[in-house]
Amino acid sequence: MAMTGVLRPGHAVIRVLDLEESVDFYTNVMGLKETGRDKNDRVYFKCNDEHDHNSFVIRKSDRAGLDHFGFKVLNKATLDTLEGRLREYGVATERVPAGEMLETGERVRFQIPTGHMIELYADKTGVGNGLGQINPEAWLENQKGINPIRMDHCLIYGGDIDGNRKLFEEVLDFSLVERVKLEDGETDLATWLTCSPKAHDIAMVRHPEDGKLHHVSFMLESWEQVLRAADIMSMHRVSIDMGPTRHGITRGTTIYFFDPSGNRMETFCGGYQWYPDLPPTTWTWDEVGRGIFYHDRKLNDAFLGVVT
Ligand SMILES: [Fe+2]
């Protein structure tokens, strides 16, 4: 097997202000499938082509934002190894027992230098994508809403993104794919990291306040699906932040929009394939607008300022 270690983003757990309004939004507008609720009033969802029980979880709170972001690792031995490496590196880890999240095995939780809580886990119950594993059809009929394929990545905001990058690279074997430099040409404003052949699995932007969420992103199959997603957002009067457009960075096409609690979400498609022999791409400060929004070639105020 060529892929080992951390496999992919596995779950995002976010806070919402009104649980039922959010369930309606994520079910009927986003088109996620509700897969369960737990005694802590968390509601679990999966996307159309995901096989595991859940990838997106909402919890009622008096403030929006990200509780934690989880990555699935290859197996239990990998989980143990990575926990050992985290501790050796000086990161305190906590074991969250199996079942604390529905249908999810034991998790290793730790705080990264920007204050975000990250989790690793090896097991989540497979419920399938509804198509079966023997002679499947190509897609499910009669799906609701935007109907993304998978929860794909997140972008987080915080202070010590250099410390984050070092930890993700040196302990979890992530690689730097793209970066944006500040005016001094030295300091990173933002970095895009991957643990897979995707152009990014997590990204981070330097920001004065730690622990902030910029967006959780959901993958669609085509640019046409991105346009269709924008139509559905308009039909449901969803607050759109930007798009449909393209990022220069990763070359993905995108829409940024807000859920009813003000959490920014993204629906996107595309982006190139990454392999370990590809050197990182750098964007200079004078071209940051084109890097983030390739067509407008300038940042909107919300991109840098509005986080939860
Ligand atoms: Fe994104």
Side-chain angles (χ1 to χ4, degrees), residues 51-54 72 102-105 123-128:
H51 292 253
D52 285 355
H53 177 270
N54 60 75
K72 192 172 192 183
L102 285 186
E103 307 295 336
T104 304
D123 299 310
K124 207 184 275 282
T125 305
V127 296

Side-chain angles (χ1 to χ4, degrees), residues 153 155 200 215 217 247 256 266:
H153 64 267
L155 172 56
H200 60 325
H215 67 265
S217 188
H247 294 303
Y256 286 141
E266 177 183 38

Side-chain angles (χ1 to χ4, degrees), residues 32-90:
L32 309 187
K33 183 173 192 273
E34 183 181 331
T35 53
R37 298 187 182 209
D38 70 17
K39 61 180 182 347
N40 298 318
D41 280 339
R42 289 177 295 193
V43 184
Y44 294 69
F45 299 91
K46 71 180 276 298
C47 300
N48 171 29
D49 200 24
E50 290 172 329
H51 292 253
D52 285 355
H53 177 270
N54 60 75
S55 63
F56 189 76
V57 181
I58 61 175
R59 173 176 80 82
K60 181 174 161 38
S61 175
D62 57 5
R63 63 192 179 102
L66 179 71
D67 267 356
H68 50 86
F69 194 77
F71 291 92
K72 192 172 192 183
V73 306
L74 180 63
N75 53 29
K76 180 78 171 56
T78 306
L79 188 67
D80 294 341
T81 301
L82 290 174
E83 183 178 33
R85 286 171 63 173
L86 283 163
R87 288 188 170 183
E88 210 172 290
Y89 189 77

Side-chain angles (χ1 to χ4, degrees), residues 35-262:
T35 53
R37 298 187 182 209
D38 70 17
K39 61 180 182 347
N40 298 318
D41 280 339
R42 289 177 295 193
V43 184
Y44 294 69
F45 299 91
K46 71 180 276 298
C47 300
N48 171 29
D49 200 24
E50 290 172 329
H51 292 253
D52 285 355
H53 177 270
N54 60 75
S55 63
F56 189 76
V57 181
I58 61 175
R59 173 176 80 82
K60 181 174 161 38
S61 175
D62 57 5
R63 63 192 179 102
L66 179 71
D67 267 356
H68 50 86
F69 194 77
F71 291 92
K72 192 172 192 183
V73 306
L74 180 63
N75 53 29
K76 180 78 171 56
T78 306
L79 188 67
D80 294 341
T81 301
L82 290 174
E83 183 178 33
R85 286 171 63 173
L86 283 163
R87 288 188 170 183
E88 210 172 290
Y89 189 77
V91 177
T93 63
E94 175 198 351
R95 288 261 175 172
V96 184
E100 196 277 335
M101 273 179 66
L102 285 186
E103 307 295 336
T104 304
E106 194 173 27
R107 291 131 62 202
V108 170
R109 179 182 288 180
F110 56 98
Q111 191 169 38
I112 58 174
T114 49
H116 300 83
M117 300 308 294
I118 299 291
E119 296 184 339
L120 306 176
Y121 67 93
D123 299 310
K124 207 184 275 282
T125 305
V127 296
N129 63 358
L131 298 169
Q133 296 303 115
I134 299 172
N135 309 327
E137 300 300 342
W139 43 274
L140 288 170
E141 288 184 303
N142 304 319
Q143 299 299 293
K144 287 180 183 169
I146 293 167
N147 192 29
I149 294 169
R150 65 169 185 249
M151 192 280 288
D152 189 85
H153 64 267
C154 69
L155 172 56
I156 55 176
Y157 271 40
D160 187 9
I161 64 165
D162 306 317
N164 276 7
R165 179 164 69 83
K166 194 163 180 291
L167 189 156
F168 274 94
E169 284 182 335
E170 292 182 13
V171 183
L172 303 176
D173 294 331
F174 280 57
S175 298
L176 177 69
V177 179
E178 301 213 25
R179 72 198 326 164
V180 173
K181 291 288 185 188
L182 282 171
E183 278 168 297
D184 65 9
E186 294 292 326
T187 314
D188 284 330
L189 166 67
T191 52
W192 283 255
L193 308 177
T194 190
C195 63
S196 71
K198 290 158 56 191
H200 60 325
D201 288 301
I202 189 167
M204 45 205 72
V205 170
R206 191 179 300 277
H207 183 71
E209 199 176 352
D210 274 346
K212 292 297 178 181
L213 172 68
H214 186 270
H215 67 265
V216 175
S217 188
F218 295 87
M219 192 186 188
L220 299 171
E221 273 185 309
S222 67
W223 170 234
E224 190 180 5
Q225 289 283 310
V226 176
L227 291 178
R228 179 180 168 276
D231 292 343
I232 292 171
M233 289 175 203
S234 259
M235 287 174 196
H236 291 271
R237 308 298 187 263
V238 171
S239 172
I240 294 178
D241 178 19
M242 177 56 87
T245 185
R246 181 194 287 280
H247 294 303
I249 296 160
T250 76
R251 301 201 298 252
T253 54
T254 179
I255 309 168
Y256 286 141
F257 57 98
F258 295 101
D259 82 353
S261 306

